[in-house]
Amino acid sequence: MLIMGRSDRFTHEIVIITGMSGAGKTVAVQSFEDLGYYCIDNLPPELLTTFLALMKESERKITRVAAVMDMRGGEFFDSLIDALDKLEKVEDLVTRVLFLDADDETLVRRYKETRRSHPLEPNGLPLDGIKKERMLLSELRGRATYVYNTSSTKPRELRERIANEFSSLAGPQFSLNVMSFGYKNGIPIDADLVFDVRFLKNPYYVEELRYKTGLQEEVSSYVLATDETKILIEKLTDLFSFMIPQYIHEGKSQLVIAFGCTGGQHRSVTLAEYYGKLFKQSYQTVITHRDIDRRKD
């Protein structure tokens, strides 16, 4: 069972931030620092249990820690799986692993932009290092509590997602991420539920609406006014009313619902906005428009 937020059963919490080099760990640890976590960068896994003992004995009463562990740790990184096994046996402690990922093309571009070399291929090609790292991290990725793909995520959006999911409010929590996207740019790989709304009437073919988006009232009103949209909303609302409580009952801590249209500008944005605002009445909800700034005419 995935656990969100703080639970009365646990008095201490450790979040392990790891994943692919260049996927956003620096932004992530800064976000946890903003949330009040005690943050450590590049902690050797073999020191995890030692640090936990110090954490419990500290007069500062440190209860929440976020630690970055990545390939900079060299041989120490190989012992992270063993360290996680030990932490899972510790009473009064919740351990969560946040794994940050991105596709190879995005990672290569980020290395090019920063003019950095990959830690596994300091004198070689970034792509070769990325492939080695992905293979080495495959088991850890499978052990992760959360996997974020940051290929199309801006730093601000990553900060918002972390703030939403790791808030310090008491009690187990459930969060929703409602996303819009364009099929021509690919289906988001981290979506749990994907709804194709390309059958709805397309504002793109209305001259005065073509260069606007679903964030603007003229477009959203156009989309929401059709009979097809009204019927879709009625059926989806009924579906969500049934499904979301079932996911919560089964222990799921987050759900990513994605609406897709052709370009991710009009119909999908309208539906994501509609349901994002509706869900916010009951759940922690983040609305993301992946392709709204990727217009190509």
Side-chain angles (χ1 to χ4, degrees):
M1 177 182 294
L2 302 184
I3 303 170
M4 289 198 57
R6 300 175 65 180
S7 170
D8 292 338
R9 294 184 299 147
F10 303 105
T11 57
H12 296 84
E13 173 190 6
I14 292 181
V15 178
I16 308 299
I17 305 169
T18 188
M20 298 295 294
S21 302
K25 293 189 289 293
T26 299
V27 174
V29 73
Q30 291 171 350
S31 302
F32 279 100
E33 191 171 20
D34 291 341
L35 290 174
Y37 284 74
Y38 184 90
C39 295
I40 310 170
D41 191 16
N42 200 22
L43 176 70
E46 292 165 334
L47 297 182
L48 261 177
T49 52
T50 301
F51 180 80
L52 176 61
L54 295 174
M55 170 180 161
K56 290 186 174 183
E57 297 171 3
S58 171
E59 294 182 359
R60 294 178 56 185
K61 295 183 179 180
I62 300 172
T63 58
R64 297 187 299 161
V65 172
V68 178
M69 298 181 183
D70 55 28
M71 283 302 175
R72 290 172 298 165
E75 62 184 18
F76 293 112
F77 191 83
D78 297 334
S79 61
L80 179 52
I81 296 296
D82 292 335
L84 288 175
D85 290 336
K86 292 178 182 178
L87 291 180
E88 289 176 357
K89 298 176 183 178
V90 177
E91 295 183 358
D92 300 324
L93 173 72
V94 58
T95 303
R96 292 183 274 180
V97 178
L98 171 60
F99 190 100
L100 298 173
D101 201 354
D103 58 53
D104 291 353
E105 181 181 354
T106 299
L107 293 174
V108 170
R109 186 181 69 249
R110 290 174 182 173
Y111 274 106
K112 294 288 186 181
E113 290 173 350
T114 59
R115 298 183 180 180
R116 294 170 51 217
S117 59
H118 193 280
L120 295 183
E121 285 289 342
N123 299 313
L125 297 174
L127 184 58
D128 291 338
I130 290 167
K131 290 180 178 179
K132 288 182 182 179
E133 185 177 28
R134 196 175 295 284
M135 180 181 65
L136 290 170
L137 296 181
S138 59
E139 182 180 355
L140 182 57
R141 192 181 193 279
R143 291 279 297 267
T145 315
Y146 304 93
V147 177
Y148 289 1
N149 187 295
T150 65
S151 299
S152 302
T153 303
K154 299 176 182 177
R156 174 183 56 80
E157 294 171 340
L158 179 57
R159 289 178 184 275
E160 289 177 353
R161 186 170 184 182
I162 290 173
N164 182 59
E165 297 206 50
F166 292 86
S167 68
S168 59
L169 298 176
Q173 298 170 60
F174 174 81
S175 68
L176 286 165
N177 190 311
V178 186
M179 176 189 300
S180 69
F181 72 94
Y183 273 93
K184 69 179 184 180
N185 297 313
I187 298 175
I189 64 174
D190 50 354
D192 297 298
L193 301 173
V194 177
F195 295 93
D196 185 347
V197 298
R198 287 177 291 182
F199 67 91
L200 297 177
K201 199 171 181 180
N202 194 349
Y204 178 84
Y205 296 108
V206 179
E207 186 64 30
E208 60 268 27
L209 301 180
R210 176 172 299 179
Y211 298 104
K212 297 181 179 180
T213 73
L215 294 178
Q216 294 166 286
E217 195 276 333
E218 305 98 302
V219 174
S220 61
S221 295
Y222 178 89
V223 174
L224 295 173
T226 67
D227 291 338
E228 291 81 5
T229 303
K230 292 177 181 178
I231 294 172
L232 175 64
I233 286 176
E234 180 183 353
K235 293 182 179 296
L236 283 182
T237 301
D238 185 54
L239 179 66
F240 292 143
S241 296
F242 168 74
M243 291 182 69
I244 292 177
Q246 304 306 314
Y247 281 119
I248 296 173
H249 179 71
E250 287 301 312
K252 193 170 181 64
S253 64
Q254 60 171 320
L255 189 67
V256 181
I257 301 174
F259 293 93
C261 61
T262 304
Q265 307 290 319
H266 303 105
R267 294 164 292 179
S268 61
V269 173
T270 297
L271 268 295
E273 283 289 315
Y274 177 88
Y275 276 105
K277 292 174 181 177
L278 180 65
F279 292 147
K280 281 184 177 180
Q281 299 175 20
S282 304
Y283 307 105
Q284 291 190 66
T285 303
V286 173
I287 304 172
T288 305
H289 300 300
R290 192 191 72 177
D291 298 329
I292 200 167
D293 295 323
R294 299 178 67 174
R295 185 190 301 275
K296 292 181 181 180
D297 292 315

